[in-house]
Amino acid sequence: MTVRHVISLNRSWEVGGTGYDPSGEIRRTAVSGRAVAALEQSPQQPELARILQISLLCNNAKLEQDDEGHWIVKGDPTEGALLTFAAKAGTRPETMRQWHRGKEIPFDSNTGKMSVVCKDTAGTESQDCYVFTKGAVEMLLQRCTQVQSDGRLLELTEERKRIILEQNGKLSGEALRVLGFAYRPLTDGDLPEPDERDMIFVGMVGMMDPPKPEAAHSIQEALALGVKPVMITGDHPITAISIARQLGMYDGSQRVLSGHELDRMTDEELQEAVEHTAIFARVSPEHKLRIVRAFQQRGHLVAMTGDGINDTPAIKQANVGIAMGRTGTEVTKQTADMVLKEDDFGTIVEAVKEGRTIMGNIRKALGCLLTGNLAEIIVSSAAVILGMPLPLVPVQILLMNLITDALPAMVLAINPGNKTKLTERVEIADGNLYRKVFARGALLGLGSLGLFAASLASGVPLPAARSIAFATLVSGQLMQTFSWRQEGSAESVKDWSQDRFLVGALGVSWLSLLAALYIPPAARFFHAAPIAWSHWIPVLAVAGSVTLLSKPLVAWIESGRPGAANPVRQMRTAVVA
């Protein structure tokens, strides 16, 4: 965060430099914005000097250099930007050591300001005791009766207030965070409680808090995932809209609600409004909590991100509370469910992708296992019911489960997935999964039983017929691994063919099948017999056609399901940032 502009009633300045490095020039600017003169290291202009003074005294942050020589801020980034701004003008905390802070009113989102009472211990007059305040411009103006201009105190008329608000709006329209400054001399030298009435408005600063270059890309990925990003900020609505446009979160069609509007809304009205609102500005902690609850009551899953104490109630209420690891307060970190080591919104998007990959993998492995087990049950139970010889002996069932359920299903469960192929949110198990399992398992089981019966009818010995049924079931389940690998994703054959773990696992399973059939010691142990190569044609035909035939079967089941034409609306995930 960097201070870019400083404005008083009738003067303005530009501030150079970037970040927290206290190197940069402060230049006086004309009305048109053209720089006209560089300041001395100790600026004498009264309003600028007062703003610099308040920036240092009404401040709890520290500006330091780390071991690598980089300038860092310990504390609030906004206050860190003010320290950097003061340092550029040659004003540092050491120059304010004669000032003693006696009282403080910490920043409060409800009032939008922070105040301190300071006394110049080197002074001798009662006028050396002041209240210094910084905060939202519109909030400060409500407590000001005068404005300082070229060192003179003027009455804060409606016209002058209009000029100040226009300046505030102009800076906000440039996506700058605006902070106003005011003060009031005190007559009591015993450092009384801060009295924020009849203040004197001095000016304002516009701070650039640009989104990270990769943030816009992360926002677009979130939208593609079906996640709705929502901005909740204490900034001016104009500032929030400008930044939201840069991030691609706002195109003009969504609503923008302020804290004042939220106060006038009932909970029911807010629940309706959140569906069409992308930005909530000038909000308090209570507003954040209401917004999170409103999303939840609309059926959304909410992940709330934040770094300050005022975010804590909403973070605790959210389904997933996310705190910033670098800038977050300890209270926020302790309340949150997750703490980001790097304060990067893209990390949240990656976490969503990773979570969906895990959910998808469990779903694929479950479908693969259930399909094979259902086929085995159908083959064995149907043969018994029909009075046929058993198509499989127990040792063959054990080998089949070892070949099909061990390596291939395990690889499906731990597959890293292709996260460039964005998919919709899925459930681990639902009606659609069960219908596919039923269709594929039934087709594979009935196909295997049919080949077994046809082989016996054509005079094939029982051991060879059992081997044909065994090979059909194993081949079908291994081929199903390919189908389940692509389930719910946009991956192509090229994607999974490059998965060496999957290809390797399937290769081991195929070799195990052939070894059990054609290596005599293994064949005797598993009560199998070699089958003629001509028999592999119907085996592979049945095994390979299961996926193709299951699609129209699932579609037919879907068409006859009650309520199929009116699917239930799925919950969307909302990230509140």
Side-chain angles (χ1 to χ4, degrees):
M1 190 176 294
T2 308
V3 174
R4 284 298 185 201
H5 296 281
V6 184
I7 297 179
S8 66
L9 183 62
N10 58 0
R11 295 182 185 271
S12 62
W13 298 264
E14 283 183 353
V15 184
T18 57
Y20 297 124
D21 185 355
S23 59
E25 202 172 47
I26 302 177
R27 291 181 174 271
R28 169 85 180 278
T29 57
V31 178
S32 62
R34 179 174 56 86
V36 295
L39 293 173
E40 301 290 339
Q41 279 300 97
S42 299
Q44 300 300 316
Q45 210 285 328
E47 284 72 62
L48 183 60
R50 182 68 77 180
I51 290 174
L52 291 169
Q53 182 185 46
I54 300 174
S55 296
L56 288 176
L57 296 177
C58 193
N59 198 311
N60 291 319
K62 291 183 179 180
L63 184 64
E64 300 176 352
Q65 281 184 295
D66 60 16
D67 296 336
E68 299 178 357
H70 299 141
W71 288 93
I72 60 173
V73 167
K74 292 184 177 180
D76 184 74
T78 301
E79 295 187 341
L82 295 177
L83 292 179
T84 305
F85 158 59
K88 292 174 183 177
T91 307
R92 296 180 178 272
E94 305 86 67
T95 63
M96 298 289 175
R97 286 178 178 172
Q98 78 275 18
W99 286 90
H100 170 66
R101 180 194 292 188
K103 306 290 183 178
E104 175 185 347
I105 299 180
F107 176 80
D108 186 348
S109 298
N110 292 313
T111 60
K113 56 183 174 56
M114 169 190 178
S115 297
V116 295
V117 174
C118 295
K119 180 177 176 61
D120 185 358
T121 57
T124 59
E125 301 179 3
S126 60
Q127 289 294 315
D128 294 330
C129 189
Y130 292 88
V131 175
F132 296 125
T133 302
K134 71 175 190 291
V137 173
E138 57 268 34
M139 296 293 186
L140 290 188
L141 290 178
Q142 295 176 11
R143 298 180 177 269
C144 291
T145 57
Q146 293 178 296
V147 58
Q148 181 174 309
S149 177
D150 292 329
R152 295 180 297 116
L153 299 184
L154 305 175
E155 181 186 354
L156 184 60
T157 61
E158 289 299 323
E159 176 61 21
R160 291 180 179 128
K161 187 179 294 187
R162 183 188 61 79
I163 294 173
I164 294 171
L165 291 175
E166 286 181 355
Q167 294 169 341
N168 180 34
K170 180 180 179 182
L171 293 180
S172 298
E174 297 174 5
L176 298 178
R177 176 172 291 179
V178 185
L179 205 60
F181 297 84
Y183 74 100
R184 184 167 74 90
L186 299 175
T187 57
D188 190 345
D190 294 328
L191 297 177
E193 291 295 329
D195 188 353
E196 297 168 326
R197 296 174 299 170
D198 301 328
M199 301 288 287
I200 303 168
F201 187 82
V202 185
M204 68 189 78
V205 300
M207 287 174 281
M208 177 182 65
D209 186 16
K212 296 178 181 179
E214 63 273 13
H217 175 69
S218 299
I219 291 293
Q220 295 308 310
E221 282 194 318
L223 291 169
L225 285 165
V227 177
K228 177 184 178 181
V230 177
M231 179 185 293
I232 301 182
T233 177
D235 288 340
H236 194 283
I238 298 176
T239 303
I241 290 172
S242 180
I243 294 176
R245 287 186 186 277
Q246 296 178 34
L247 293 172
M249 293 174 55
Y250 180 78
D251 58 11
S253 61
Q254 304 96 326
R255 291 186 65 179
V256 178
L257 292 177
S258 67
H260 295 298
E261 293 173 299
L262 291 177
D263 288 332
R264 295 193 296 267
M265 283 185 172
T266 64
D267 290 341
E268 291 73 20
E269 291 172 337
L270 181 57
Q271 291 174 31
E272 293 293 331
V274 294
E275 293 287 358
H276 312 289
T277 304
I279 300 171
F280 296 89
R282 286 288 191 248
V283 295
S284 66
E286 291 79 6
H287 293 146
K288 295 179 182 181
L289 184 59
R290 284 189 65 198
I291 293 167
V292 170
R293 285 175 174 168
F295 273 112
Q296 291 174 327
Q297 289 164 354
R298 293 289 295 183
H300 293 275
L301 300 177
V302 182
M304 173 71 189
T305 71
D307 57 4
I309 295 176
N310 57 352
D311 297 317
T312 303
I315 286 177
K316 185 174 181 62
Q317 174 66 32
N319 300 92
V320 181
I322 305 174
M324 303 295 109
R326 287 181 175 269
T327 60
T329 62
E330 287 303 317
V331 174
T332 309
K333 294 177 186 178
Q334 293 174 11
T335 304
D337 301 296
M338 294 172 53
V339 179
L340 301 184
K341 191 174 181 180
E342 300 292 334
D343 298 351
D344 184 3
F345 181 80
T347 305
I348 302 174
V349 178
E350 290 303 315
V352 173
K353 292 181 183 179
E354 193 67 36
R356 292 189 179 179
T357 299
I358 293 172
M359 295 277 285
N361 287 346
I362 296 174
R363 179 185 176 89
K364 294 172 185 178
L366 182 64
C368 185
L369 293 172
L370 291 178
T371 298
N373 291 334
L374 178 61
E376 295 170 19
I377 292 172
I378 290 175
V379 168
S380 301
S381 59
V384 172
I385 293 173
L386 295 176
M388 300 170 60
L390 286 176
L392 301 169
V393 296
V395 70
Q396 291 175 339
I397 295 176
L398 292 176
L399 176 62
M400 184 185 311
N401 290 334
L402 182 65
I403 293 175
T404 59
D405 295 352
L407 288 177
M410 183 178 67
V411 171
L412 281 181
I414 64 174
N415 172 47
N418 187 344
K419 295 181 178 56
T420 62
K421 307 291 186 180
L422 303 180
T423 58
E424 292 295 327
R425 176 172 168 261
V426 297
E427 300 292 341
I428 290 180
D430 55 16
N432 186 44
L433 176 70
Y434 294 137
R435 285 186 287 274
K436 289 181 179 179
V437 167
F438 172 78
R440 295 179 183 184
L443 288 173
L444 180 58
L446 293 175
S448 301
L449 184 63
L451 286 181
F452 176 70
S455 299
L456 291 176
S458 63
V460 176
L462 180 59
R466 283 174 172 165
S467 296
I468 291 174
F470 174 72
T472 304
L473 285 171
V474 173
S475 300
Q477 292 183 56
L478 294 180
M479 290 183 179
Q480 282 298 303
T481 304
F482 290 141
S483 300
W484 287 109
R485 172 69 166 79
Q486 294 175 267
E487 181 73 19
S489 71
E491 294 178 331
S492 63
V493 175
K494 181 180 178 181
D495 294 318
W496 58 253
S497 64
Q498 293 176 349
D499 187 343
R500 63 181 185 274
F501 295 106
L502 177 64
V503 174
L506 292 175
V508 171
S509 296
W510 279 107
L511 290 176
S512 300
L513 171 62
L514 295 176
L517 295 176
Y518 294 105
I519 296 179
R524 286 194 298 271
F525 180 80
F526 292 110
H527 301 279
I531 58 178
W533 295 108
S534 60
H535 289 150
W536 278 101
I537 296 176
V539 167
L540 295 178
V542 171
S545 62
V546 169
T547 300
L548 294 177
L549 295 176
S550 66
K551 291 181 179 179
L553 179 58
V554 171
W556 177 77
I557 296 175
E558 283 280 354
S559 64
R561 185 169 58 94
N566 297 299
V568 178
R569 181 181 66 88
Q570 291 189 2
M571 290 189 300
R572 292 179 296 147
T573 304
V575 169
V576 182

